[in-house]
Amino acid sequence: MGPMGTTGSGQRAYIGSFTSAGGRGIITAAVDAETGALTPLHATDEVRDPSYLAPAPDGRHLYAVSETSDGAAAAFALTEKGPALLGAPIPVGGAAPTHLALWSGHLLTANYTSGSVSALSVRADGTLTEPAVVLQHTGSGPHPDRQEGPHAHAVLPDPTGRWLLSVDLGTDSVRICEPDPASGVPAIRHEVRLRPGSGPRHLAFHPRGDHAYVINELSSTATPCHWDATTGTLTPLAETAVLPPDAGGNHPSELVVSPDGRFAWVANRGHDSISVLAVAPSGESFSLVTTVPCGGHWPRDLALHPGGRHLYAANERSGDVTWFSVDPATGVPEAGGSIEAPAASCVVFV
C-alpha cells in the first residue's frame, strides 16, 4: 500500500523514547479515530535516544533527533512495516538535540547542551546533509544551575512559514529567524526577552496565527505573546500560572492549543497533571480552569490528535502513553486508556 497515512490523517502514532533508559526507540501504533486508543504495531531502536520526532508534511518521511552528547538527526521512510532508516544518523554539530522541525528546505534541531540551532538540508529523497549552518546562541539567566549559558529547547515555524522561532531556556528568550536572501540558510534576525528566570521551553501558536504561547519550565507559567507575521515581531504579554499556588514543585513540558483556539492544555512534570486553560477570545490571556491527572509520572510531552478530540501524554518515568477524550464544551480531558512505552518522550501523528 506504500507509505502509511496521509498528511494530518492521524492513522498512525509514532512514539519517541530514550533507549539509554530502556526505551524501545520509535514505537509505531495504530490510532482508533473514535476512541483515541493506541495499538502498538512495531518498534525500531536503530537510532540512540530518538527523544523527539517530526513527520514530513507529505507523510512519507519521519525525522528524529538523537539526544546524545555528540548529537545527531536521522531520516526514516514510513512503510507498512514501520519506519525504515535512510542511512546513518547525521551529526548536527551540537550537543543533546531535544527538538526539531522542518522549515524552508531544512531540518532544524534545537541543541540543548550546546545552546545552538542546526540547519540540515533535506534532499528531494528525504535524506539529510551535514549542517548548512549552526546558529550559536549566547547569554545566560539568573538560575544558577539551569541558566549558566544558552540552552536551546525548541524550534517552530510560524503559521505563514516565513519565520522560525527558537526558544532558549538558558537565556529567557525567543529568537526569530528567516532565510538569508543570498544563501537560503536560516539567519537570526532578532531576539525577544522574556521575564528573567522564567525558563521558556516550548511554544505553540493560536490557530488564527496572531498569538503565540510560550510555556515556561522554571516558573510553571505560560506567556501569551502577540505575533506579527508581517514584521516577525513577538510581543510578550502577562504571564499566567498553570497550576494553583499550593501545587508544589513542577516543571511544565509542553503546551498545545485546541483547533478552535478556545482552550490550551499544559503537561506538568512533578504535579503529574494536565492543566486546562481557557483562552480569551482575543487570544491575549489565559485562565486556569482545572487540572486532571496525567495517568502516569513525568509527562515529557503532550500531543493533540489532528482531529482535535483526543490528547496524549508521553509519561517518561512511568513508561507509558495515556490518552484522553476532550469535552468540546469545557475543554476538560477524560482518561481513556494507556499503553506501555518505556522512557516515552514524544508522540506525533501521520
Side-chain angles (χ1 to χ4, degrees), residues 77-278:
L78 294 179
T79 75
E80 284 297 327
K81 296 182 179 180
L85 185 63
L86 298 176
I90 304 295
V92 300
T98 61
H99 194 254
L100 75 172
L102 291 153
W103 176 70
S104 189
H106 294 86
L107 182 72
L108 286 298
T109 66
N111 310 315
Y112 180 82
T113 300
S114 55
S116 60
V117 169
S118 301
L120 290 71
S121 296
V122 180
R123 299 187 181 99
D125 63 359
T127 59
L128 302 170
T129 71
E130 293 185 357
V133 66
V134 177
L135 305 173
Q136 180 62 54
H137 294 181
T138 59
S140 60
H143 194 290
D145 299 322
R146 301 294 306 279
Q147 295 185 313
E148 79 295 344
H151 292 301
H153 212 303
V155 284
L156 187 72
D158 89 311
T160 70
R162 176 181 174 184
W163 308 96
L164 180 87
L165 289 78
S166 65
V167 183
D168 195 301
L169 186 150
T171 63
D172 292 315
S173 60
V174 178
R175 289 165 176 82
I176 316 297
C177 306
E178 66 176 339
D180 182 85
S183 66
V185 301
I188 297 172
R189 296 307 182 208
H190 49 272
E191 181 180 1
V192 178
R193 299 283 181 177
L194 278 72
R195 185 175 61 80
S198 56
R201 176 184 173 94
H202 277 205
L203 178 149
F205 282 93
H206 189 283
R208 288 196 306 259
D210 58 350
H211 288 85
Y213 305 117
V214 180
I215 187 68
N216 301 306
E217 178 174 339
L218 301 183
S219 60
S220 278
T221 60
T223 304
C225 305
H226 182 263
W227 172 247
D228 185 339
T230 303
T231 59
T233 303
L234 187 74
T235 305
L237 305 171
E239 284 181 63
T240 297
V242 300
L243 289 175
D246 59 352
N250 185 61
H251 303 278
S253 61
E254 182 63 287
L255 179 149
V256 295
V257 185
S258 64
D260 62 8
R262 295 175 57 226
F263 300 103
W265 300 277
V266 175
N268 295 301
R269 297 171 299 171
H271 195 253
D272 287 343
S273 66
I274 298 172
S275 296
V276 183
L277 305 177

Side-chain angles (χ1 to χ4, degrees), residues 242-244 250 264-269 271-277 288-296 299 302 311 313 315 322-327 330-336:
V242 300
L243 289 175
N250 185 61
W265 300 277
V266 175
N268 295 301
R269 297 171 299 171
H271 195 253
D272 287 343
S273 66
I274 298 172
S275 296
V276 183
L277 305 177
L288 178 62
V289 176
T290 189
T291 64
V292 299
C294 70
L302 189 66
L311 275 172
N315 300 310
T322 51
W323 59 86
F324 303 79
S325 295
V326 176
D327 185 316
T330 66
V332 176
E334 180 180 352

